[in-house]
PDB file of all heavy atoms in Angstrom:
ATOM      1  N   PRO V 465     330.990 182.898  57.336  1.00 98.00           N
ATOM      2  CA  PRO V 465     331.466 183.972  58.261  1.00 98.00           C
ATOM      3  C   PRO V 465     330.616 184.256  59.449  1.00 98.00           C
ATOM      4  O   PRO V 465     330.886 184.993  60.308  1.00 98.00           O
ATOM      5  CB  PRO V 465     331.449 185.246  57.345  1.00 98.00           C
ATOM      6  CG  PRO V 465     331.314 184.737  55.926  1.00 98.00           C
ATOM      7  CD  PRO V 465     330.636 183.412  56.051  1.00 98.00           C
ATOM      8  N   ARG V 466     329.430 183.512  59.449  1.00 98.00           N
ATOM      9  CA  ARG V 466     328.483 183.686  60.543  1.00 98.00           C
ATOM     10  C   ARG V 466     328.138 182.267  61.098  1.00 98.00           C
ATOM     11  O   ARG V 466     328.000 181.372  60.282  1.00 98.00           O
ATOM     12  CB  ARG V 466     327.234 184.390  60.075  1.00 98.00           C
ATOM     13  CG  ARG V 466     326.218 184.546  61.100  1.00 98.00           C
ATOM     14  CD  ARG V 466     324.952 185.213  60.545  1.00 98.00           C
ATOM     15  NE  ARG V 466     323.870 184.871  61.441  1.00 98.00           N
ATOM     16  CZ  ARG V 466     322.766 184.247  61.069  1.00 98.00           C
ATOM     17  NH1 ARG V 466     322.547 183.939  59.831  1.00 98.00           N
ATOM     18  NH2 ARG V 466     321.808 183.940  61.963  1.00 98.00           N
ATOM     19  N   ARG V 467     328.066 182.142  62.366  1.00 98.00           N
ATOM     20  CA  ARG V 467     327.567 180.867  62.959  1.00 98.00           C
ATOM     21  C   ARG V 467     326.077 180.880  62.793  1.00 98.00           C
ATOM     22  O   ARG V 467     325.253 181.326  63.630  1.00 98.00           O
ATOM     23  CB  ARG V 467     327.980 180.766  64.485  1.00 98.00           C
ATOM     24  CG  ARG V 467     327.857 179.382  65.002  1.00 98.00           C
ATOM     25  CD  ARG V 467     328.386 179.296  66.394  1.00 98.00           C
ATOM     26  NE  ARG V 467     327.710 180.182  67.318  1.00 98.00           N
ATOM     27  CZ  ARG V 467     328.218 181.256  67.926  1.00 98.00           C
ATOM     28  NH1 ARG V 467     329.519 181.574  67.749  1.00 98.00           N
ATOM     29  NH2 ARG V 467     327.506 182.050  68.743  1.00 98.00           N
ATOM     30  N   SER V 468     325.655 180.348  61.662  1.00 97.00           N
ATOM     31  CA  SER V 468     324.294 180.443  61.202  1.00 97.00           C
ATOM     32  C   SER V 468     323.385 179.423  61.944  1.00 97.00           C
ATOM     33  O   SER V 468     323.890 178.614  62.697  1.00 97.00           O
ATOM     34  CB  SER V 468     324.223 180.195  59.705  1.00 97.00           C
ATOM     35  OG  SER V 468     324.573 178.907  59.475  1.00 97.00           O
ATOM     36  N   GLU V 469     322.050 179.489  61.633  1.00 96.00           N
ATOM     37  CA  GLU V 469     321.204 178.517  62.223  1.00 96.00           C
ATOM     38  C   GLU V 469     321.580 177.055  61.774  1.00 96.00           C
ATOM     39  O   GLU V 469     321.437 176.148  62.513  1.00 96.00           O
ATOM     40  CB  GLU V 469     319.722 178.811  61.741  1.00 96.00           C
ATOM     41  CG  GLU V 469     319.151 180.073  62.374  1.00 96.00           C
ATOM     42  CD  GLU V 469     319.650 181.369  61.652  1.00 96.00           C
ATOM     43  OE1 GLU V 469     320.506 181.331  60.741  1.00 96.00           O
ATOM     44  OE2 GLU V 469     319.112 182.422  61.998  1.00 96.00           O
ATOM     45  N   THR V 470     322.053 176.953  60.522  1.00 97.00           N
ATOM     46  CA  THR V 470     322.512 175.611  60.088  1.00 97.00           C
ATOM     47  C   THR V 470     323.781 175.186  60.864  1.00 97.00           C
ATOM     48  O   THR V 470     323.954 174.054  61.255  1.00 97.00           O
ATOM     49  CB  THR V 470     322.804 175.629  58.549  1.00 97.00           C
ATOM     50  OG1 THR V 470     321.658 176.099  57.958  1.00 97.00           O
ATOM     51  CG2 THR V 470     323.103 174.220  58.029  1.00 97.00           C
ATOM     52  N   ALA V 471     324.673 176.174  61.063  1.00 98.00           N
ATOM     53  CA  ALA V 471     325.917 175.901  61.815  1.00 98.00           C
ATOM     54  C   ALA V 471     325.558 175.393  63.227  1.00 98.00           C
ATOM     55  O   ALA V 471     326.238 174.529  63.819  1.00 98.00           O
ATOM     56  CB  ALA V 471     326.821 177.099  61.853  1.00 98.00           C
ATOM     57  N   ASP V 472     324.465 175.961  63.812  1.00 97.00           N
ATOM     58  CA  ASP V 472     324.086 175.553  65.184  1.00 97.00           C
ATOM     59  C   ASP V 472     323.667 174.115  65.259  1.00 97.00           C
ATOM     60  O   ASP V 472     323.749 173.546  66.361  1.00 97.00           O
ATOM     61  CB  ASP V 472     322.885 176.477  65.608  1.00 97.00           C
ATOM     62  CG  ASP V 472     323.358 177.746  66.157  1.00 97.00           C
ATOM     63  OD1 ASP V 472     324.539 177.914  66.498  1.00 97.00           O
ATOM     64  OD2 ASP V 472     322.526 178.722  66.213  1.00 97.00           O
ATOM     65  N   VAL V 473     323.249 173.492  64.172  1.00 97.00           N
ATOM     66  CA  VAL V 473     322.906 172.058  64.265  1.00 97.00           C
ATOM     67  C   VAL V 473     323.963 171.175  63.586  1.00 97.00           C
ATOM     68  O   VAL V 473     323.737 169.946  63.456  1.00 97.00           O
ATOM     69  CB  VAL V 473     321.516 171.766  63.630  1.00 97.00           C
ATOM     70  CG1 VAL V 473     320.403 172.596  64.308  1.00 97.00           C
ATOM     71  CG2 VAL V 473     321.549 172.010  62.116  1.00 97.00           C
ATOM     72  N   ALA V 474     325.093 171.803  63.233  1.00 98.00           N
ATOM     73  CA  ALA V 474     326.156 171.016  62.492  1.00 98.00           C
ATOM     74  C   ALA V 474     327.120 170.400  63.501  1.00 98.00           C
ATOM     75  O   ALA V 474     327.099 170.750  64.693  1.00 98.00           O
ATOM     76  CB  ALA V 474     326.895 171.972  61.536  1.00 98.00           C
ATOM     77  N   ASP V 475     327.984 169.473  63.030  1.00 98.00           N
ATOM     78  CA  ASP V 475     328.966 168.900  63.808  1.00 98.00           C
ATOM     79  C   ASP V 475     330.143 169.847  63.973  1.00 98.00           C
ATOM     80  O   ASP V 475     330.848 169.790  64.963  1.00 98.00           O
ATOM     81  CB  ASP V 475     329.449 167.538  63.173  1.00 98.00           C
ATOM     82  CG  ASP V 475     328.339 166.546  63.136  1.00 98.00           C
ATOM     83  OD1 ASP V 475     328.116 165.828  64.105  1.00 98.00           O
ATOM     84  OD2 ASP V 475     327.599 166.562  62.115  1.00 98.00           O
ATOM     85  N   GLN V 476     330.314 170.664  62.993  1.00 98.00           N
ATOM     86  CA  GLN V 476     331.520 171.557  63.046  1.00 98.00           C
ATOM     87  C   GLN V 476     331.138 172.851  62.290  1.00 98.00           C
ATOM     88  O   GLN V 476     330.465 172.839  61.221  1.00 98.00           O
ATOM     89  CB  GLN V 476     332.719 170.938  62.400  1.00 98.00           C
ATOM     90  CG  GLN V 476     333.969 171.715  62.496  1.00 98.00           C
ATOM     91  CD  GLN V 476     335.149 171.072  61.762  1.00 98.00           C
ATOM     92  OE1 GLN V 476     335.001 170.171  61.006  1.00 98.00           O
ATOM     93  NE2 GLN V 476     336.364 171.624  61.922  1.00 98.00           N
ATOM     94  N   HIS V 477     331.645 173.907  62.755  1.00 98.00           N
ATOM     95  CA  HIS V 477     331.494 175.209  62.027  1.00 98.00           C
ATOM     96  C   HIS V 477     332.868 175.903  61.913  1.00 98.00           C
ATOM     97  O   HIS V 477     333.576 175.984  62.943  1.00 98.00           O
ATOM     98  CB  HIS V 477     330.537 176.177  62.729  1.00 98.00           C
ATOM     99  CG  HIS V 477     330.561 177.568  62.184  1.00 98.00           C
ATOM    100  ND1 HIS V 477     330.763 178.654  62.968  1.00 98.00           N
ATOM    101  CD2 HIS V 477     330.421 177.980  60.915  1.00 98.00           C
ATOM    102  CE1 HIS V 477     330.759 179.727  62.231  1.00 98.00           C
ATOM    103  NE2 HIS V 477     330.612 179.409  60.963  1.00 98.00           N
ATOM    104  N   LEU V 478     333.219 176.317  60.765  1.00 98.00           N
ATOM    105  CA  LEU V 478     334.489 177.069  60.553  1.00 98.00           C
ATOM    106  C   LEU V 478     334.155 178.463  60.038  1.00 98.00           C
ATOM    107  O   LEU V 478     333.429 178.601  59.037  1.00 98.00           O
ATOM    108  CB  LEU V 478     335.358 176.336  59.536  1.00 98.00           C
ATOM    109  CG  LEU V 478     335.918 174.967  59.887  1.00 98.00           C
ATOM    110  CD1 LEU V 478     336.455 174.253  58.665  1.00 98.00           C
ATOM    111  CD2 LEU V 478     336.966 175.108  60.962  1.00 98.00           C
ATOM    112  N   PHE V 479     334.642 179.492  60.726  1.00 98.00           N
ATOM    113  CA  PHE V 479     334.497 180.887  60.212  1.00 98.00           C
ATOM    114  C   PHE V 479     335.422 181.047  59.029  1.00 98.00           C
ATOM    115  O   PHE V 479     336.502 180.560  59.038  1.00 98.00           O
ATOM    116  CB  PHE V 479     334.850 181.859  61.298  1.00 98.00           C
ATOM    117  CG  PHE V 479     333.877 182.078  62.347  1.00 98.00           C
ATOM    118  CD1 PHE V 479     334.083 181.722  63.677  1.00 98.00           C
ATOM    119  CD2 PHE V 479     332.644 182.668  62.048  1.00 98.00           C
ATOM    120  CE1 PHE V 479     333.133 181.950  64.701  1.00 98.00           C
ATOM    121  CE2 PHE V 479     331.671 182.856  63.029  1.00 98.00           C
ATOM    122  CZ  PHE V 479     331.939 182.515  64.331  1.00 98.00           C
ATOM    123  N   ILE V 480     334.960 181.748  58.022  1.00 98.00           N
ATOM    124  CA  ILE V 480     335.808 182.054  56.851  1.00 98.00           C
ATOM    125  C   ILE V 480     335.603 183.493  56.459  1.00 98.00           C
ATOM    126  O   ILE V 480     334.501 184.047  56.576  1.00 98.00           O
ATOM    127  CB  ILE V 480     335.441 181.111  55.638  1.00 98.00           C
ATOM    128  CG1 ILE V 480     336.355 181.360  54.470  1.00 98.00           C
ATOM    129  CG2 ILE V 480     333.955 181.284  55.205  1.00 98.00           C
ATOM    130  CD1 ILE V 480     336.283 180.283  53.384  1.00 98.00           C
ATOM    131  N   ARG V 481     336.699 184.155  56.050  1.00 97.00           N
ATOM    132  CA  ARG V 481     336.626 185.556  55.640  1.00 97.00           C
ATOM    133  C   ARG V 481     335.746 185.634  54.393  1.00 97.00           C
ATOM    134  O   ARG V 481     335.948 184.809  53.450  1.00 97.00           O
ATOM    135  CB  ARG V 481     337.998 186.110  55.307  1.00 97.00           C
ATOM    136  CG  ARG V 481     338.929 186.146  56.465  1.00 97.00           C
ATOM    137  CD  ARG V 481     338.756 187.295  57.398  1.00 97.00           C
ATOM    138  NE  ARG V 481     338.673 188.580  56.752  1.00 97.00           N
ATOM    139  CZ  ARG V 481     338.139 189.653  57.327  1.00 97.00           C
ATOM    140  NH1 ARG V 481     337.596 189.540  58.539  1.00 97.00           N
ATOM    141  NH2 ARG V 481     338.097 190.821  56.728  1.00 97.00           N
ATOM    142  N   PRO V 482     334.768 186.540  54.308  1.00 97.00           N
ATOM    143  CA  PRO V 482     333.934 186.655  53.112  1.00 97.00           C
ATOM    144  C   PRO V 482     334.781 186.799  51.850  1.00 97.00           C
ATOM    145  O   PRO V 482     335.798 187.492  51.832  1.00 97.00           O
ATOM    146  CB  PRO V 482     333.167 187.967  53.401  1.00 97.00           C
ATOM    147  CG  PRO V 482     333.104 188.093  54.861  1.00 97.00           C
ATOM    148  CD  PRO V 482     334.451 187.572  55.306  1.00 97.00           C
ATOM    149  N   GLY V 483     334.316 186.136  50.830  1.00 95.00           N
ATOM    150  CA  GLY V 483     334.969 186.227  49.464  1.00 95.00           C
ATOM    151  C   GLY V 483     336.176 185.417  49.284  1.00 95.00           C
ATOM    152  O   GLY V 483     336.842 185.536  48.301  1.00 95.00           O
ATOM    153  N   THR V 484     336.469 184.550  50.232  1.00 97.00           N
ATOM    154  CA  THR V 484     337.697 183.708  50.102  1.00 97.00           C
ATOM    155  C   THR V 484     337.392 182.210  49.919  1.00 97.00           C
ATOM    156  O   THR V 484     338.294 181.344  50.040  1.00 97.00           O
ATOM    157  CB  THR V 484     338.653 183.886  51.336  1.00 97.00           C
ATOM    158  OG1 THR V 484     338.008 183.360  52.496  1.00 97.00           O
ATOM    159  CG2 THR V 484     338.988 185.361  51.531  1.00 97.00           C
ATOM    160  N   ASP V 485     336.189 181.849  49.637  1.00 98.00           N
ATOM    161  CA  ASP V 485     335.848 180.450  49.503  1.00 98.00           C
ATOM    162  C   ASP V 485     336.614 179.821  48.388  1.00 98.00           C
ATOM    163  O   ASP V 485     336.988 178.641  48.537  1.00 98.00           O
ATOM    164  CB  ASP V 485     334.292 180.291  49.139  1.00 98.00           C
ATOM    165  CG  ASP V 485     333.461 180.978  50.157  1.00 98.00           C
ATOM    166  OD1 ASP V 485     333.299 182.240  49.979  1.00 98.00           O
ATOM    167  OD2 ASP V 485     333.009 180.358  51.124  1.00 98.00           O
ATOM    168  N   SER V 486     336.929 180.529  47.323  1.00 98.00           N
ATOM    169  CA  SER V 486     337.637 179.939  46.162  1.00 98.00           C
ATOM    170  C   SER V 486     339.036 179.536  46.646  1.00 98.00           C
ATOM    171  O   SER V 486     339.593 178.520  46.200  1.00 98.00           O
ATOM    172  CB  SER V 486     337.738 180.893  45.023  1.00 98.00           C
ATOM    173  OG  SER V 486     336.432 181.252  44.549  1.00 98.00           O
ATOM    174  N   LEU V 487     339.637 180.344  47.471  1.00 98.00           N
ATOM    175  CA  LEU V 487     340.956 179.993  48.008  1.00 98.00           C
ATOM    176  C   LEU V 487     340.867 178.717  48.879  1.00 98.00           C
ATOM    177  O   LEU V 487     341.749 177.862  48.726  1.00 98.00           O
ATOM    178  CB  LEU V 487     341.523 181.156  48.844  1.00 98.00           C
ATOM    179  CG  LEU V 487     341.904 182.409  48.053  1.00 98.00           C
ATOM    180  CD1 LEU V 487     342.186 183.593  48.947  1.00 98.00           C
ATOM    181  CD2 LEU V 487     343.109 182.120  47.177  1.00 98.00           C
ATOM    182  N   LEU V 488     339.872 178.663  49.717  1.00 98.00           N
ATOM    183  CA  LEU V 488     339.724 177.443  50.520  1.00 98.00           C
ATOM    184  C   LEU V 488     339.589 176.212  49.654  1.00 98.00           C
ATOM    185  O   LEU V 488     340.195 175.155  49.804  1.00 98.00           O
ATOM    186  CB  LEU V 488     338.533 177.592  51.477  1.00 98.00           C
ATOM    187  CG  LEU V 488     338.128 176.300  52.117  1.00 98.00           C
ATOM    188  CD1 LEU V 488     339.210 175.845  53.147  1.00 98.00           C
ATOM    189  CD2 LEU V 488     336.777 176.397  52.860  1.00 98.00           C
ATOM    190  N   LEU V 489     338.667 176.338  48.615  1.00 98.00           N
ATOM    191  CA  LEU V 489     338.415 175.198  47.721  1.00 98.00           C
ATOM    192  C   LEU V 489     339.645 174.825  46.944  1.00 98.00           C
ATOM    193  O   LEU V 489     339.900 173.592  46.761  1.00 98.00           O
ATOM    194  CB  LEU V 489     337.267 175.561  46.774  1.00 98.00           C
ATOM    195  CG  LEU V 489     335.903 175.789  47.407  1.00 98.00           C
ATOM    196  CD1 LEU V 489     334.947 176.566  46.513  1.00 98.00           C
ATOM    197  CD2 LEU V 489     335.315 174.429  47.847  1.00 98.00           C
ATOM    198  N   LEU V 490     340.436 175.752  46.519  1.00 98.00           N
ATOM    199  CA  LEU V 490     341.734 175.422  45.882  1.00 98.00           C
ATOM    200  C   LEU V 490     342.688 174.692  46.757  1.00 98.00           C
ATOM    201  O   LEU V 490     343.348 173.757  46.423  1.00 98.00           O
ATOM    202  CB  LEU V 490     342.427 176.696  45.284  1.00 98.00           C
ATOM    203  CG  LEU V 490     341.795 177.212  43.956  1.00 98.00           C
ATOM    204  CD1 LEU V 490     342.136 178.647  43.705  1.00 98.00           C
ATOM    205  CD2 LEU V 490     342.285 176.286  42.815  1.00 98.00           C
ATOM    206  N   SER V 491     342.765 175.217  48.041  1.00 98.00           N
ATOM    207  CA  SER V 491     343.624 174.496  48.979  1.00 98.00           C
ATOM    208  C   SER V 491     343.098 173.096  49.257  1.00 98.00           C
ATOM    209  O   SER V 491     343.935 172.124  49.434  1.00 98.00           O
ATOM    210  CB  SER V 491     343.658 175.293  50.312  1.00 98.00           C
ATOM    211  OG  SER V 491     344.406 176.447  50.132  1.00 98.00           O
ATOM    212  N   MET V 492     341.821 172.889  49.313  1.00 98.00           N
ATOM    213  CA  MET V 492     341.245 171.537  49.480  1.00 98.00           C
ATOM    214  C   MET V 492     341.662 170.674  48.339  1.00 98.00           C
ATOM    215  O   MET V 492     342.068 169.533  48.530  1.00 98.00           O
ATOM    216  CB  MET V 492     339.726 171.591  49.598  1.00 98.00           C
ATOM    217  CG  MET V 492     339.260 172.242  50.917  1.00 98.00           C
ATOM    218  SD  MET V 492     337.473 172.417  51.016  1.00 98.00           S
ATOM    219  CE  MET V 492     336.985 170.697  51.017  1.00 98.00           C
ATOM    220  N   LEU V 493     341.607 171.227  47.138  1.00 98.00           N
ATOM    221  CA  LEU V 493     342.009 170.414  45.956  1.00 98.00           C
ATOM    222  C   LEU V 493     343.512 170.129  45.989  1.00 98.00           C
ATOM    223  O   LEU V 493     343.933 168.914  45.706  1.00 98.00           O
ATOM    224  CB  LEU V 493     341.761 171.234  44.653  1.00 98.00           C
ATOM    225  CG  LEU V 493     340.391 171.031  44.054  1.00 98.00           C
ATOM    226  CD1 LEU V 493     340.244 172.059  42.921  1.00 98.00           C
ATOM    227  CD2 LEU V 493     340.216 169.605  43.532  1.00 98.00           C
TER     228      LEU V 493
END
Side-chain angles (χ1 to χ4, degrees):
R466 178 179 160 240
R467 195 173 59 247
S468 63
E469 291 78 355
T470 307
D472 276 342
V473 302
D475 296 272
Q476 187 187 7
H477 168 234
L478 294 166
F479 282 115
I480 185 168
R481 299 278 312 157
T484 65
D485 307 84
S486 299
L487 289 170
L488 170 67
L489 292 163
L490 279 162
S491 289
M492 290 176 66
L493 272 171

